[in-house]
Amino acid sequence: MKKLAISIGDINGVGLEIALRAHEKISKICKPVYCINKTMLEWGSAMLSIDIPKNFKTKECGEVFEIKPGVNTKEAGEFSYDSFITAIALAKSKQVCGIVTLPINKASWALAGIKYKGHTDALADLLGCETVMMLGCEDMYIILYTHHISIREISSHVEAKKIYKFLINIYDYIESDNIAVLALNPHAGDDGVIGNEDIEIEKAIKKANKKLKKDIFKGPLVPDTAFSEQNRKNFKYFVCMYHDQGLIPLKALHFFDSINVTLNKSIIRTSVDHGTAFDKAYNDSELSLLSYINAVKKAVE
Amino acid sequence: MKKLAISIGDINGVGLEIALRAHEKISKICKPVYCINKTMLEWGSAMLSIDIPKNFKTKECGEVFEIKPGVNTKEAGEFSYDSFITAIALAKSKQVCGIVTLPINKASWALAGIKYKGHTDALADLLGCETVMMLGCEDMYIILYTHHISIREISSHVEAKKIYKFLINIYDYIESDNIAVLALNPHAGDDGVIGNEDIEIEKAIKKANKKLKKDIFKGPLVPDTAFSEQNRKNFKYFVCMYHDQGLIPLKALHFFDSINVTLNKSIIRTSVDHGTAFDKAYNDSELSLLSYINAVKKAVE
């Protein structure tokens, strides 16, 4: 069975509880190594009133400090970062096949002076390679061309040359010869009547297909009909020009079962597709484990 | 039973077929008056091999010309416009209670020299009043703050004063004291980290609620979770900052049953939520009538 490193995420959030509750299930498909020190593990599990499973293998990391459910603290920010880089180190040294990350909190990272906006940004920098955010589940995956930028900034990134490079890059990771690429503007720009960015996207698609000698990329698709039931039968992979273009339909259709995959040339990394859920930390026995379990499955695969 | 005027839309598209096929059903809930001249009706129904129902009441309008299925023509553009303004005239003179429009084709309108981008724009100008686009079905309605503009242009419209006016205006039409208002940027701007437009939206919401002396408007909601199943239980009405923010989830969830309602102070107008479907014109016996029937129901209501 494959070994996977699990980073615990923000210990003031729901990460540890998810790890403990899902352990029995995921142990059937992988050998997890949890990046957390024993003291914090014991403390957290006591607060949750959950026994630590016997074969709960850990990799020591981080400091010992007070857990404050649902609160942003510098210590929790530091700890979640330690857990994350410990997992990366295990993967880089091939002690594990890949990593699965539980949610960190950006505000806690900021308190701890960590400059990254999130896991994906951090990975790109730490691994020194380009990373691509893909989110979804077996029914549909969305691939984000731009991530955490404001709506105002998007159009300046929509340029044929850059999109062409992006498409060629992602084709290496996606085992499909049928990938949808969404237009930027309403009605795909209505032939230039509503913005001219979609002409750039069209150029990029044509050039990429020519390079790959096959019509891999289809589009630019009219965004509002791209995720209709009929179209979801035609496509599994959707390249989206911006965060909410992809995340809105994904969360409308697959709120609980979606995961996050970081496509990159260095290590396998998957993640849950939700945040630290501070409102549910240490007080909700009905937490959904689905996204985490799916993330583990995808990493194993 | 209430009288409704039905504009036939682009006769080279699916409008006439929908009107003929749905007639029996809608006759049970209203008295429809179809805005089409007898010659074109006879010709079209012959091409469709559908008998004209006996009580198919028409209002003469438009020229006589050749029907070319699935083709943009100047004549079809002119005809659909004639049918539309005839329906409006019937409503303005109170001969009918409201109008239901079948889809026109923008390119055909352009060929005919008609300057409007679509029904909603035309209505605003012809009626000389502000119009608001609302789309959806009994499960959820989206209300568009901006319509057919490029992504690049959206943020310049996101201004507290204008949004405040918009919110106060729509509250007159919507029978709900619980209306969601979406943020513009990913994660609702993450406290100004990703753009500062969402601060404007928040100001507008606060001011509108203060004016109405009740917390009617909730938000700004993080866009990507706004349409999750859980959140759709909390809200039926969603104010969206831009076209695809609302249309993408709506068409992902309700492709066939959605309708379009033009909120305005002058006449009742509902519409199907799809286009002319040129690829299906005069050749598809499995056309979905659901959007049209729902549009008629809503107009009657």
Side-chain angles (χ1 to χ4, degrees):
Chain A
M1 243 181 344
K2 286 176 187 168
K3 268 192 183 176
L4 289 181
I6 315 287
S7 71
I8 288 299
D10 196 300
I11 202 153
N12 292 344
V14 292
L16 181 60
E17 179 167 357
I18 289 173
L20 287 166
R21 286 199 192 279
H23 177 73
E24 198 188 322
K25 208 155 191 174
I26 72 157
S27 298
K28 288 175 186 151
I29 51 171
C30 71
K31 286 186 182 175
V33 180
Y34 299 94
C35 300
I36 183 171
N37 67 62
K38 288 215 168 60
T39 312
M40 292 304 284
L41 172 62
E42 276 163 18
W43 196 348
S45 61
M47 284 176 68
L48 288 161
S49 309
I50 301 175
D51 289 337
I52 302 169
K54 267 181 194 152
N55 55 347
F56 201 86
K57 199 183 165 196
T58 56
K59 171 78 185 175
E60 288 290 304
C61 64
E63 305 289 321
V64 171
F65 60 96
E66 191 188 348
I67 297 173
K68 294 180 178 170
V71 180
N72 289 115
T73 68
K74 177 175 171 284
E75 290 76 15
E78 271 168 7
F79 181 79
S80 62
Y81 186 68
D82 283 342
S83 179
F84 177 50
I85 57 172
T86 303
I88 295 175
L90 289 172
K92 288 289 280 181
S93 61
K94 312 277 180 207
Q95 294 176 72
V96 297
C97 299
I99 73 172
V100 177
T101 58
L102 283 157
I104 60 102
N105 189 291
K106 285 173 202 181
S108 302
W109 270 22
L111 284 176
I114 297 156
K115 64 180 177 178
Y116 306 116
K117 279 188 184 175
H119 282 127
T120 309
D121 296 332
L123 264 182
D125 196 34
L126 296 169
L127 300 174
C129 68
E130 273 186 72
T131 56
V132 174
M133 255 178 110
M134 182 168 91
L135 300 105
C137 58
E138 278 313 295
D139 283 349
M140 64 182 272
Y141 278 104
I142 60 150
I143 298 129
L144 294 184
Y145 174 65
T146 66
H147 315 162
H148 294 112
I149 62 171
S150 70
I151 293 287
R152 191 179 5 149
E153 294 168 277
I154 299 163
S155 83
S156 69
H157 293 269
V158 178
E159 201 189 287
K161 232 181 192 170
K162 280 172 72 177
I163 298 173
Y164 163 75
K165 270 186 66 179
F166 183 82
L167 296 179
I168 295 294
N169 180 31
I170 59 169
Y171 183 62
D172 277 352
Y173 305 112
I174 297 171
E175 284 169 17
S176 172
D177 276 0
N178 188 43
I179 302 172
V181 181
L182 269 73
L184 175 70
N185 290 311
H187 308 180
D190 259 347
D191 293 318
V193 178
I194 310 176
N196 46 25
E197 294 88 347
D198 296 306
I199 299 162
E200 293 289 304
I201 301 173
E202 198 175 353
K203 273 187 210 164
I205 292 173
K206 281 187 179 161
K207 200 174 157 192
N209 288 340
K210 203 175 160 188
K211 168 87 174 172
L212 299 170
K213 295 191 177 99
K214 204 173 168 189
D215 282 348
I216 307 295
F217 297 102
K218 312 292 193 305
L221 264 63
V222 170
D224 66 6
T225 51
F227 299 101
S228 68
E229 199 179 343
Q230 183 52 49
N231 217 41
R232 296 198 313 272
K233 286 179 194 153
N234 297 335
F235 296 102
K236 178 171 171 180
Y237 296 95
F238 298 84
V239 176
C240 296
M241 289 298 120
Y242 57 95
H243 186 276
D244 287 346
Q245 191 180 50
L247 269 294
I248 287 178
L250 184 66
K251 297 202 174 181
L253 296 162
H254 297 282
F255 191 76
F256 287 115
D257 55 341
S258 281
I259 64 160
N260 182 336
V261 183
T262 306
L263 307 176
N264 71 87
K265 291 201 163 63
S266 181
I267 65 166
I268 288 166
R269 179 250 169 176
T270 67
S271 167
V272 297
D273 178 29
H274 57 72
T276 43
F278 272 177
D279 55 323
K280 294 180 179 163
Y282 297 84
N283 68 22
D284 184 349
S285 57
E286 310 236 314
L287 274 183
S288 172
L289 307 174
L290 199 54
S291 178
Y292 175 62
I293 291 167
N294 285 348
V296 171
K297 280 184 191 163
K298 184 78 179 174
V300 171
E301 171 198 309
Chain B
M1 240 180 349
K2 285 177 187 167
K3 268 190 182 177
L4 289 181
I6 315 286
S7 71
I8 288 300
D10 196 299
I11 202 152
N12 292 344
V14 293
L16 180 59
E17 179 167 357
I18 289 173
L20 288 166
R21 285 198 194 280
H23 177 72
E24 198 187 322
K25 208 155 191 174
I26 71 156
S27 298
K28 287 173 188 152
I29 52 173
C30 72
K31 285 185 184 175
V33 180
Y34 299 94
C35 299
I36 183 171
N37 67 63
K38 289 213 167 64
T39 312
M40 293 303 285
L41 172 62
E42 277 164 17
W43 195 350
S45 60
M47 283 175 69
L48 289 161
S49 308
I50 301 174
D51 287 338
I52 302 168
K54 266 180 195 154
N55 55 347
F56 201 86
K57 199 184 165 195
T58 57
K59 171 78 184 175
E60 288 291 304
C61 64
E63 305 289 321
V64 172
F65 60 96
E66 191 188 348
I67 297 173
K68 295 180 179 170
V71 180
N72 288 117
T73 68
K74 177 175 173 283
E75 290 76 15
E78 272 168 6
F79 181 79
S80 62
Y81 186 68
D82 283 341
S83 180
F84 177 50
I85 56 171
T86 303
I88 295 175
L90 288 172
K92 288 290 280 182
S93 60
K94 313 279 182 207
Q95 294 176 70
V96 297
C97 299
I99 73 172
V100 177
T101 58
L102 284 157
I104 61 101
N105 188 289
K106 285 174 200 182
S108 302
W109 270 22
L111 284 176
I114 297 155
K115 64 181 177 179
Y116 306 116
K117 279 186 183 176
H119 282 126
T120 309
D121 297 332
L123 264 182
D125 195 35
L126 296 169
L127 300 174
C129 67
E130 274 186 72
T131 56
V132 174
M133 254 177 110
M134 181 168 93
L135 300 104
C137 58
E138 276 315 294
D139 283 350
M140 65 182 271
Y141 278 104
I142 61 150
I143 298 131
L144 295 183
Y145 175 64
T146 66
H147 316 161
H148 294 112
I149 62 171
S150 71
I151 292 289
R152 191 180 4 152
E153 294 168 276
I154 300 164
S155 83
S156 69
H157 293 269
V158 178
E159 200 190 287
K161 231 179 193 173
K162 279 171 72 177
I163 298 172
Y164 163 74
K165 269 185 67 179
F166 183 82
L167 296 179
I168 295 294
N169 180 30
I170 60 170
Y171 183 62
D172 278 351
Y173 304 112
I174 298 172
E175 285 170 13
S176 171
D177 276 1
N178 188 45
I179 302 172
V181 181
L182 270 72
L184 175 69
N185 290 312
H187 308 181
D190 258 347
D191 292 318
V193 178
I194 310 177
N196 47 23
E197 294 89 347
D198 296 307
I199 300 163
E200 294 288 306
I201 301 174
E202 199 175 353
K203 274 188 210 165
I205 292 173
K206 281 187 178 160
K207 200 174 158 193
N209 287 340
K210 202 174 163 191
K211 168 85 176 174
L212 299 170
K213 296 192 175 95
K214 203 174 169 189
D215 282 349
I216 306 294
F217 297 103
K218 312 291 193 304
L221 264 63
V222 171
D224 67 6
T225 51
F227 299 101
S228 68
E229 199 178 344
Q230 183 53 48
N231 217 41
R232 296 199 312 273
K233 285 177 193 153
N234 297 335
F235 296 103
K236 179 172 171 180
Y237 296 95
F238 298 84
V239 176
C240 296
M241 289 297 120
Y242 56 95
H243 185 276
D244 287 346
Q245 191 180 51
L247 269 293
I248 286 179
L250 183 66
K251 296 202 175 181
L253 296 163
H254 296 283
F255 191 76
F256 288 116
D257 55 340
S258 282
I259 63 161
N260 183 335
V261 183
T262 306
L263 307 175
N264 71 88
K265 291 199 164 63
S266 180
I267 64 165
I268 288 166
R269 180 248 167 177
T270 67
S271 166
V272 296
D273 179 29
H274 57 73
T276 43
F278 272 178
D279 55 324
K280 293 180 180 163
Y282 298 83
N283 68 22
D284 184 348
S285 56
E286 311 235 314
L287 274 183
S288 171
L289 308 175
L290 199 54
S291 179
Y292 175 62
I293 291 166
N294 285 348
V296 170
K297 279 183 190 162
K298 185 77 177 174
V300 170
E301 173 199 308

